[in-house]
Amino acid sequence: MEQISPQSLSLKFDRVSGVLTAVYTPMEGALLPNLVLVKQALEDGRYTKLSIDDVAINYFVASAMSATETVSMKIGERRDGEYVLEVSNDLMSAYLTLIPPQGGRAKAIEVLTDIRLRGIIHGILHDKLRAALKEGSCDKLLIAQGDEAVMGTPARFESLLDSGEDEEEIDDDAIINYADISHMLLTNVGDPVMRRIPTDHGTIGMNIKGEEVNPPPVAEVEFNKDCSGTELHPDDPNLLIAAIAGQPTLISNGVKINPVVIVDDIDLSTGNMEFSGTVKVKGDVKTGMRLRVTGDVFVQGTVEAAEIQAGGNITVNGGIIGMAESQPGGTAVSARLHCEGSVQALFAESAVIEARESIMIAGNARQCDMMAGNEIIVGKNNPKLGQIIGGKAQATLTVKAITLGSPTGNLTKIQVGHDPYLEEKLRDAEHNFQKKLDELDRIIKQIGYFKQHPEKSSPAQHEEIEHQRKIVAQEVKDLVAVQTEMKEELIAADSASVVVIKAVFEGVEIKIGRQTWPILSSLGGGTAHLQGGRIAFGGK
């Protein structure tokens, strides 16, 4: 035991038990202990780091005032440090509370041991933990933090359809044709229409014990099954492309394509149209517009002085009206229709119409230039209509109308017996034939040169050039056969005819094959055909 004070008040500290005891022995003339004296004794004895019980000190002082014998009372003790290690239920975080020692030993080693025994191995905040242990105290300090799993996101769908909102920068001095600025949303085969941004299944996390934490599952979302007219790209299952040409429509998680594009009118609001597909115009095709498609064209209204090209048929329910009057500069603006199939219209005026197959006009055809691979028929049911007045009508087999020309003597040219398209093909074939002949001549000359100068070539070269000669010679032979067949097809005059139901007026010129017959006076109805190499006109 260690005696702290020689006075009647003394403090005794037991190093084994760590208990601090205050002792007062009454003495005559001695000062009674009070709080000040006790506090001073604690400081003098360097016991302030112990855990001091202020309540016990007060009780000790009160007891000493009336004591007649020695009073001994515990007023403090040595305490080691304490800690609390809290781990969250989801094992994603750990918190440390440190209570500092009071005259005793800190629990740093115990803390580290407990962390290890609890299996905390991941996400330990070593700097914070080290600073806290050095400080000796902290309150619910985060000392370990796991990696949260990152939640995934479902697949997203991004439209690739051109909205038409992006505008190219245009030179202020440039001349702009507003008809060429298309506002129609159209697709051609192979055009990308929608991209699927694949599902993000999230990121796996890890708790403070080093165990994986899986994110919530995310359901897969695929392209809509109702994406008619589309297909997946062969090299990219997340890219939807157009399988047909047409008008696309966005649907939930997909795109549908209508193979028939339906528009109100073809005008500046739509711009000129050009794509692979079929178009149905509920209204009119306005002056100055251009429509080029690979399929059919259906026009409910009229075709003004516009241009239409179709890979199929052209049907105009409201008729064709070009502009007969000359425009500034002296050039008349006509409607121009060209198709690989047939053209049908209610009537036609000031139009250039070309059809690989047939042209059928229900009413009149005025000042038109018409050319058909098979036949031209003008007039249907109504005997007051069906007139071909002015212009030219050219077909391979037949031109048929109610009347040809007019009483005023309009020059009207009618021609049958020659396929105008076949003549064009024949010219191309003859051009190719001449090119092949020139090539064959060059090869033959080269072979002759090598025969005269054998040292200039090798056997391999001889073999190669002879092989080329055989190929080109066969091509020449094939082209001769093609031209012969075409020329035979051109001789269609014997079966060609011009059929007039009611009248042929003066000013009409009929040409069948190579024979031409100008009408010098009006005639009734009949059929013009070749007879004995000359044009004959007989009964209806």
Side-chain angles (χ1 to χ4, degrees):
M1 306 289 286
E2 179 183 355
Q3 184 172 341
I4 302 302
S5 173
Q7 301 177 4
S8 58
L9 173 64
S10 63
L11 300 180
K12 297 180 180 180
F13 179 67
D14 187 339
R15 295 185 178 278
V16 177
S17 65
V19 173
L20 178 64
T21 304
V23 180
Y24 170 68
T25 302
M27 295 181 182
E28 188 176 352
L31 294 174
L32 289 172
N34 55 36
L35 291 176
V36 175
L37 291 176
V38 173
K39 295 291 185 181
Q40 186 62 49
L42 288 172
E43 291 183 4
D44 293 344
R46 297 181 179 176
Y47 296 126
T48 54
K49 291 186 177 181
L50 299 177
S51 176
I52 304 301
D53 188 346
D54 291 333
V55 175
I57 291 175
N58 288 331
Y59 187 70
F60 170 74
V61 170
S63 299
M65 286 185 178
S66 59
T68 56
E69 55 185 29
T70 300
V71 177
S72 177
M73 188 172 297
K74 175 183 175 182
I75 63 169
E77 62 181 345
R78 179 183 64 212
R79 290 185 180 178
D80 291 340
E82 298 180 11
Y83 74 93
V84 176
L85 183 61
E86 300 176 84
V87 177
S88 63
N89 292 333
D90 59 3
L91 300 179
M92 294 302 294
S93 56
Y95 299 88
L96 177 65
T97 298
L98 282 176
I99 300 173
Q102 292 178 295
R105 183 176 60 82
K107 294 292 183 71
I109 295 177
E110 287 81 355
V111 169
L112 297 176
T113 301
D114 197 3
I115 290 174
R116 179 175 54 81
L117 291 176
R118 293 205 192 191
I120 301 174
I121 59 173
H122 178 73
I124 298 175
L125 306 176
H126 292 285
D127 291 342
K128 287 187 175 182
L129 177 60
R130 191 178 300 111
L133 293 177
K134 183 178 180 181
E135 181 70 21
S137 67
C138 61
D139 183 24
K140 290 189 176 182
L141 176 69
L142 179 67
I143 62 163
Q145 179 70 60
D147 299 327
E148 295 282 353
V150 178
M151 182 178 293
T153 55
R156 295 184 293 108
F157 296 86
E158 178 182 301
S159 171
L160 301 180
L161 298 175
D162 184 8
S163 64
E165 294 177 355
D166 296 334
E167 297 184 358
E168 296 182 1
E169 185 175 343
I170 301 176
D171 190 335
D172 291 338
D173 297 328
I175 298 175
I176 303 171
N177 184 354
Y178 288 97
D180 288 333
I181 304 175
S182 176
H183 303 289
M184 289 295 299
L185 184 57
L186 304 173
T187 58
N188 289 311
V189 176
D191 286 350
V193 296
M194 179 167 282
R195 177 168 292 282
R196 176 180 179 270
I197 310 301
T199 301
D200 179 1
H201 291 283
T203 304
I204 295 175
M206 183 171 289
N207 64 26
I208 59 177
K209 288 191 173 185
E211 301 167 338
E212 288 187 350
V213 178
N214 292 317
V218 180
E220 286 287 354
V221 182
E222 302 296 340
F223 283 113
N224 195 315
K225 293 182 179 179
D226 194 26
C227 292
S228 57
T230 67
E231 62 185 3
L232 296 179
H233 192 284
D235 300 323
D236 186 352
N238 291 308
L239 181 62
L240 196 65
I241 61 175
I244 60 175
Q247 194 167 33
T249 302
L250 285 174
I251 60 176
S252 176
N253 302 340
V255 174
K256 295 175 70 173
I257 298 178
N258 187 345
V260 178
V261 175
I262 302 175
V263 296
D264 291 330
D265 294 294
I266 301 294
D267 55 18
L268 290 179
S269 68
T270 61
N272 292 328
M273 292 176 58
E274 184 172 351
F275 83 111
S276 301
T278 294
V279 170
K280 181 176 181 180
V281 183
K282 295 192 291 185
D284 305 326
V285 180
K286 301 294 186 179
T287 297
M289 302 309 297
R290 183 176 65 249
L291 174 59
R292 295 176 180 173
V293 299
T294 60
D296 298 329
V297 173
F298 301 92
V299 181
Q300 291 291 105
T302 60
V303 174
E304 298 178 2
E307 176 187 343
I308 298 179
Q309 292 187 20
N313 301 316
I314 299 175
T315 301
V316 185
N317 290 342
I320 304 166
I321 308 175
M323 297 173 62
E325 298 83 5
S326 296
Q327 300 303 298
T331 303
V333 180
S334 302
R336 294 183 174 274
L337 285 74
H338 177 94
C339 73
E340 298 299 312
S342 297
V343 173
Q344 296 186 52
L346 180 61
F347 62 87
E349 184 173 337
S350 299
V352 177
I353 305 174
E354 297 181 15
R356 290 279 181 179
E357 294 180 7
S358 302
I359 297 174
M360 288 164 281
I361 308 296
N364 297 329
R366 294 178 179 271
Q367 299 300 330
C368 293
D369 189 348
M370 298 182 290
M371 185 167 63
N374 290 329
E375 61 182 3
I376 296 174
I377 299 176
V378 178
K380 181 180 180 183
N381 299 328
N382 191 338
K384 295 182 179 181
L385 301 176
Q387 303 173 356
I388 299 179
I389 303 173
K392 183 177 181 180
Q394 181 181 358
T396 304
L397 300 177
T398 305
V399 172
K400 182 178 180 180
I402 305 299
T403 62
L404 295 179
S406 70
T408 58
N410 294 76
L411 177 60
T412 305
K413 293 185 177 183
I414 309 297
Q415 180 178 340
V416 294
H418 286 287
D419 183 346
Y421 296 103
L422 193 57
E423 288 181 344
E424 181 182 342
K425 290 180 181 178
L426 181 58
R427 285 194 296 270
D428 291 341
E430 290 173 344
H431 178 70
N432 291 334
F433 176 71
Q434 188 60 50
K435 284 177 61 177
K436 288 298 178 182
L437 278 181
D438 293 342
E439 184 178 354
L440 182 60
D441 182 62
R442 180 184 57 79
I443 292 173
I444 292 173
K445 288 180 179 178
Q446 190 171 8
I447 292 174
Y449 177 79
F450 285 158
K451 285 182 178 180
Q452 293 178 4
H453 305 279
E455 73 280 0
K456 298 289 186 179
S457 63
S458 65
Q461 287 176 308
H462 273 288
E463 184 177 345
E464 174 63 24
I465 197 167
E466 178 61 25
H467 178 66
Q468 291 180 10
R469 185 195 66 78
K470 290 180 180 179
I471 292 176
V472 176
Q474 183 61 46
E475 290 176 343
V476 168
K477 183 178 179 181
D478 293 342
L479 283 171
V480 169
V482 168
Q483 290 181 79
T484 300
E485 183 179 352
M486 286 183 177
K487 288 176 180 178
E488 290 175 354
E489 290 181 14
L490 277 175
I491 306 174
D494 289 342
S495 59
S497 62
V498 177
V499 180
V500 184
I501 303 301
K502 191 173 180 181
V504 182
F505 291 100
E506 180 181 350
V508 173
E509 179 185 278
I510 295 177
K511 184 175 182 179
I512 302 178
R514 299 184 183 278
Q515 299 298 312
T516 302
W517 178 34
I519 307 301
L520 302 178
S521 60
S522 298
L523 303 171
T527 299
H529 60 280
L530 283 183
Q531 185 175 340
R534 299 175 66 85
I535 297 176
F537 186 73
K540 299 179 182 179

